[in-house]
């Protein structure tokens, strides 16, 4: 590993000093020469104390020579608009880079993995993101990585400015009908398409209370028939599945604290075709574990109820 890693790195943090300390320790291994740090603003007095502790860790642990850029928000933007603002700020200053959230521990190999693939696919507009997580213990394709319509949970990932410029937080001009057609392009089944169309409806109505940005990014990728890269080795682990998380609160989640694995040297796959089996496995494991198997059978009446209401335009529930 070189003394200083030249690819820009963005760290997104808030009010979890102990977890962020572990992230900083992992990042310090490669000592990025260009380091961007975003911190969302406090919601209350307790947050003020915790946010101050995070900044103390930043000042104390970033001791290597680097160009450090900070964006400390004075007000709380929230876990949707906050990261979106951070990544937009990042790509207002750089053309490509790595993004790491404050509960993601990257393997040292991830940095070189991301750097090599950012360079390799820089001019391929169909490739829009590079992920780090592998949670289903399967190998897809014949290389160190494969292509997917997903970018998994985006806790540690990389992309280009060209990709982020397509990001649309509200997606107001992107209809459910259009999304459904886009998902058909990827071979997504009806059950999957219904799931993501419901998520888009929530985004349109702000039913998620500004708690999401990654779903909008995935949909921006699908809207442009893009794809992501995912490793066949797990290159990041999420340590944030606890009571402090907004979405990641169940320690039994399959993405929680997955063991890190090396990936170097990289073996490039012979095909750039999207691995449909990988996407379906991730959908079943991470997003819809209740919709498949015996749980799926038990939930069938409710799914049929939803489907029929959507067809006839009925609002509310016909049965509890």
């Amino acid at each position: 590993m070189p003394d200083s890693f030249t690819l820009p790195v963005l760290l997104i943090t808030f009010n979890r000093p102990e977890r962020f300390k572990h992230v900083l320790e992992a990042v310090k291994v490669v000592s990025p020469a260009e380091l961007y740090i975003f911190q969302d603003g406090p919601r209350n007095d307790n947050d003020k104390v915790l946010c101050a502790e995070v900044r103390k860790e930043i000042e104390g642990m970033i001791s290597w020579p680097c160009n450090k850029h900070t964006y400390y928000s004075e007000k709380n933007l929230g876990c949707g608009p906050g990261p979106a603002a951070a990544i937009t700020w990042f790509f207002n200053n750089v053309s490509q880079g790595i993004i790491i959230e404050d509960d993601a521990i990257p393997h040292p190999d991830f940095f070189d993995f991301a750097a090599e693939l950012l360079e390799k696919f820089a001019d391929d507009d169909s490739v829009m993101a590079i992920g780090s997580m592998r949670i289903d213990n399967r190998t897809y394709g014949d290389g160190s990585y494969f292509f997917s319509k997903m970018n998994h949970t985006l806790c540690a990932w990389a992309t280009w400015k060209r990709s982020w410029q397509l990001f649309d937080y509200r997606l107001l001009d992107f209809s459910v009908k259009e999304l459904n057609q886009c998902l058909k392009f990827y071979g997504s089944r009806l059950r999957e398409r219904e799931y993501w169309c419901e998520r888009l409806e929530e985004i349109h109505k702000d039913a998620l209370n500004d708690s999401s940005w990654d779903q909008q990014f995935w949909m921006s990728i699908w809207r442009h028939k893009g794809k992501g890269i995912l490793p066949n080795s797990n290159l990041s682990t999420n340590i944030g599945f606890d009571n402090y998380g907004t979405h990641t609160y169940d320690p039994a989640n399959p993405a929680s604290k997955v063991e890190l694995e090396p990936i170097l040297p990289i073996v490039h796959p012979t095909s750039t075709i999207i691995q449909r089996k990988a996407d379906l496995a991730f959908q079943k494991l991470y997003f819809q574990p209740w919709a498949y198997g015996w749980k799926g059978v038990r939930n069938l009446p409710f799914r049929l109820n939803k489907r029929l209401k959507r067809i006839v335009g009925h609002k509310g529930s016909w049965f509890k």
Side-chain angles (χ1 to χ4, degrees):
M1 189 68 66
D3 292 336
S4 183
F5 184 71
T6 58
L7 187 69
V9 174
L10 168 66
L11 305 179
I12 300 176
T13 187
F14 177 37
N15 67 348
R16 299 189 282 184
E18 284 302 315
R19 284 160 188 77
F20 191 55
K21 181 179 179 180
H22 293 302
V23 176
L24 284 174
E25 288 171 347
V27 172
K28 190 174 182 178
V29 172
V30 299
S31 301
E34 293 289 335
L35 187 63
Y36 289 76
I37 304 171
F38 167 85
Q39 183 185 43
D40 203 359
R43 299 162 299 184
N44 49 47
D45 289 341
N46 186 55
D47 278 352
K48 289 181 181 178
V49 174
L50 294 173
C51 287
E53 291 182 17
V54 168
R55 294 190 194 183
K56 185 181 294 185
E57 294 291 351
I58 292 170
E59 296 304 317
M61 293 188 64
I62 301 176
S63 55
W64 65 89
C66 67
N67 293 320
K68 184 176 68 176
H69 314 265
T70 58
Y71 174 178
Y72 296 151
S73 179
E74 293 185 1
K75 66 175 184 178
N76 182 260
L77 301 177
C79 54
I87 300 167
T88 299
W89 165 65
F90 185 50
F91 286 115
N92 283 339
N93 292 281
V94 305
S95 61
Q96 59 183 13
I98 289 172
I99 299 99
I100 301 173
E101 298 186 36
D102 66 352
D103 54 6
I105 307 297
H107 189 284
D109 283 6
F110 173 65
F111 295 91
D112 282 347
F113 174 77
E116 182 171 336
L117 297 185
L118 283 172
E119 180 178 357
K120 180 176 177 63
F121 294 99
D123 298 323
D124 186 343
D125 291 347
S126 71
V127 181
M128 300 178 68
I130 299 165
S132 63
M133 292 194 73
R134 173 198 187 221
I135 64 174
D136 66 357
N137 294 320
R138 299 179 191 174
T139 297
Y140 299 98
D142 58 359
S144 300
Y145 60 92
F146 61 93
F147 293 86
S148 165
K149 86 174 193 292
M150 295 298 300
N151 194 28
H152 288 189
T153 55
L154 296 176
C155 291
W157 57 292
T159 192
W160 300 265
K161 181 176 183 175
R162 61 166 169 80
S163 299
W164 187 253
Q165 286 177 326
L166 301 174
F167 172 79
D168 182 350
Y169 186 78
R170 294 296 177 191
L171 292 167
L172 294 177
D173 63 343
F174 188 40
S175 70
V176 168
K177 182 178 179 180
E178 287 177 286
L179 174 59
N180 189 56
Q181 289 301 315
C182 289
L183 292 171
K184 285 183 179 179
F185 168 80
Y186 295 100
S188 298
R189 296 177 181 176
L190 176 61
R191 207 176 304 179
E192 298 168 71
R193 300 200 308 270
E194 286 180 337
Y195 176 88
W196 289 110
C197 286
E198 288 175 7
R199 303 292 78 75
L200 180 58
E201 289 175 340
E202 291 173 341
I203 291 167
H204 285 165
K205 295 184 292 187
D206 194 22
L208 301 176
N209 297 316
D210 275 334
S211 66
S212 169
W213 65 270
D214 47 3
Q215 295 182 70
Q216 293 93 310
F217 184 58
W218 297 331
M219 291 180 190
S220 297
I221 291 176
W222 302 337
R223 189 177 191 179
H224 294 88
K225 294 183 170 61
K227 57 191 174 187
I229 289 174
L230 292 171
N232 273 318
S233 301
N234 185 52
L235 297 176
S236 74
T237 189
N238 191 302
I239 59 171
F241 284 86
D242 53 32
N243 293 332
Y244 296 97
T246 301
H247 306 108
T248 56
Y249 47 81
D250 181 5
N253 189 288
S256 176
K257 298 181 180 178
V258 182
E259 186 176 351
L260 292 171
E261 301 168 314
I263 201 170
L264 300 180
I266 297 172
V267 176
H268 299 287
T270 56
S271 173
T272 61
I273 294 174
I274 288 174
Q275 295 287 333
R276 168 64 191 149
K277 288 184 179 179
D279 287 342
L280 180 58
F282 189 65
Q283 184 78 19
K284 290 180 178 180
L285 183 64
Y286 191 79
F287 292 110
Q288 290 183 285
W290 46 266
Y292 294 88
W294 175 239
K295 289 182 179 180
V297 173
R298 288 188 298 175
N299 279 283
L300 183 60
F302 299 95
R303 297 204 315 274
L304 293 175
N305 179 45
K306 280 176 142 183
R307 191 172 297 167
L308 184 58
K309 286 192 298 179
R310 184 177 292 109
I311 292 171
V312 302
H314 178 77
K315 304 295 182 182
S317 179
W318 283 330
F319 60 88
K320 299 294 184 183

